Amino acid sequence: MKALVLTGQRTVSLVDRPKPEVSAPADVVVRIAQTGICGTDRSVLVGKFPAEPGVVMGHEAVGTVDSVGAAVTTHKPGDRVVVNPTLYCGSCPPCLRGHWDFCDNKAGTEVGLDLDGAFAEYLRLPGRFVHTLPDGMDFDRAVGVEPLACALNNVAAGRLRAGETAVIVGGGPVGVVCAMAAWHHGARVLLTEPDPYRQELCRAVFAADFGGRVTVHAPDESVLVQRGDVVIDTVGNLLEQGLAYAADRGRVVIMGYHSKASATVRPLEILRRGLEIIGAGDYNSRLFPTAIELARWLPLERLVTHRFPLERHAEAFAALAAAPGTPYSALKVVLVPE
Ligand SMILES: [Zn+2]
Ligand SMILES: [Zn+2]
């Protein structure tokens, strides 16, 4: 099969790989329909996030079941599924306490970063990480389920309540999904994004069905006059900006992964204004079925602005500003094996 593999020079190259087959009784092999390019994938290529050279990248995957191991009773060939790529070992101390999202072995269990992923024709993984889609949910909506699971976890970590104001920092796909999740919690949502083209893409997503309760802003004074009870930094290096956007007694959630970011905080400001800074990781796998249910009600397919075959991966990553000095020209880009 064709697969997109990370090279030692932090580029990707399309190679031939053996098709994965069921090897353990609990295995499921998924024939990939499409896979979203995540901000994390982009971060790997621009040197902001570690990954294992030689790995097949890609983790936001949907498709149909190709084959199942002898012990799999929950899936059969032909089932339409979405993949939960956040594997965990199940036996380390955090896992035994149910904190699967903080698995001690996480550094070796992320599909598409440490284990072979879904920018390929087929993907093999344990059946418990494969979820059947509700009837009628199309693949363009379902490809947003994994980002939605991240968003739900981080919105919940901020303890967002109906009637509050949420400021979502960053108008990329995760920011947009966070804004949808925050809106669903009953909040008024301000989404900030510096790139004018992305601002327009975001406005188009929220133009209908959200009751005018999600608005898009440049990161400037207009946000500072209406601060957030909850602020979510989906970029990962904007904590200082996030603190400035927070109302007194506000909760600032760091969501974006950025291995090189650092920030200066003034302890007295945290103390006097009663601010909280929260880190919540990506998501616990028990949230994944909740994300699938919620996806029935959120128009996640509006995020998909571009679709490319695997062969045209260079154009796909270029649309996400993965090359130095290039602007964003897309929201969510998906890769389709052919
Ligand atoms: Zn992702
Ligand atoms: Zn573990």
Side-chain angles (χ1 to χ4, degrees):
M1 66 169 186
K2 294 274 185 247
L4 211 52
V5 168
L6 179 69
T7 71
Q9 293 76 45
R10 287 189 177 270
T11 59
V12 285
S13 92
L14 193 65
V15 301
D16 279 308
R17 282 282 181 94
K19 179 194 167 203
E21 303 290 351
V22 166
S23 64
D27 279 350
V28 169
V29 174
V30 178
R31 182 186 172 91
I32 301 298
Q34 60 183 13
T35 302
I37 300 182
C38 177
T40 312
D41 300 320
R42 179 184 174 276
S43 294
V44 167
L45 297 188
V46 300
K48 289 197 294 188
F49 200 82
E52 204 55 47
V55 78
V56 179
M57 293 183 68
H59 59 270
E60 296 175 0
V62 292
T64 51
V65 172
D66 175 69
S67 52
V68 301
V72 175
T73 55
T74 46
H75 299 93
K76 60 183 186 310
D79 285 355
R80 298 168 67 256
V81 295
V82 56
V83 165
N84 169 12
T86 304
L87 275 49
Y88 56 90
C89 78
S91 54
C92 70
C95 279
L96 290 173
R97 288 196 298 270
H99 301 302
W100 306 327
D101 39 344
F102 296 99
C103 172
D104 280 344
N105 299 305
K106 201 175 178 78
T109 58
E110 295 277 345
V111 170
L113 295 172
D114 317 298
L115 306 172
D116 280 342
F119 293 152
E121 294 174 65
Y122 296 89
L123 171 68
R124 175 184 59 217
L125 72 175
R128 65 190 164 127
F129 298 102
V130 177
H131 296 260
T132 303
L133 290 174
D135 287 342
M137 186 182 292
D138 66 31
F139 284 142
D140 276 359
R141 180 170 292 199
V143 83
V145 163
E146 192 265 356
L148 181 59
C150 292
L152 284 178
N153 182 44
N154 282 273
V155 167
R159 307 191 305 282
L160 182 64
R161 290 183 295 263
E164 290 191 322
T165 297
V167 175
I168 309 297
V169 180
V174 167
V176 170
V177 175
C178 269
M180 286 187 184
W183 172 84
H184 183 267
H185 277 66
R188 195 168 59 98
V189 183
L190 311 177
L191 179 59
T192 75
E193 165 59 41
D195 183 284
Y197 187 75
R198 275 205 154 172
Q199 287 172 13
E200 287 313 307
L201 294 175
C202 292
R203 287 193 184 101
V205 169
F206 294 106
D209 304 325
F210 289 86
R213 302 264 298 168
V214 181
T215 50
V216 181
H217 305 263
D220 62 12
E221 307 306 310
S222 66
V223 176
L224 291 175
V225 296
Q226 18 184 356
R227 298 184 191 208
D229 301 292
V230 174
V231 180
I232 301 180
D233 171 13
T234 71
V235 186
N237 63 349
L238 297 172
L239 178 59
E240 288 137 334
Q241 201 178 89
L243 289 167
Y245 289 161
D248 289 351
R249 286 164 302 288
R251 288 87 71 193
V252 179
V253 184
I254 302 163
M255 180 175 180
Y257 284 80
H258 196 306
S259 64
K260 295 188 177 157
S262 61
T264 303
V265 297
R266 292 185 298 285
L268 188 60
E269 185 196 355
I270 306 290
L271 176 65
R272 276 190 173 150
R273 296 180 57 211
L275 298 174
E276 284 180 59
I277 300 172
I278 299 167
D282 44 12
Y283 59 89
N284 190 296
S285 287
R286 72 169 66 88
L287 255 181
F288 211 80
T290 311
I292 294 172
E293 280 302 310
L294 183 55
R296 293 173 187 264
W297 312 107
L298 296 176
L300 296 165
E301 65 280 0
R302 290 184 194 167
L303 271 81
V304 179
T305 54
H306 291 64
R307 190 184 316 273
F308 293 97
L310 285 178
E311 288 77 9
R312 289 170 62 195
H313 57 86
E315 288 165 77
F317 282 100
L320 292 170
T326 56
Y328 279 100
S329 60
L331 209 46
K332 177 60 80 181
V333 180
V334 297
L335 286 172
V336 183
E338 282 191 331

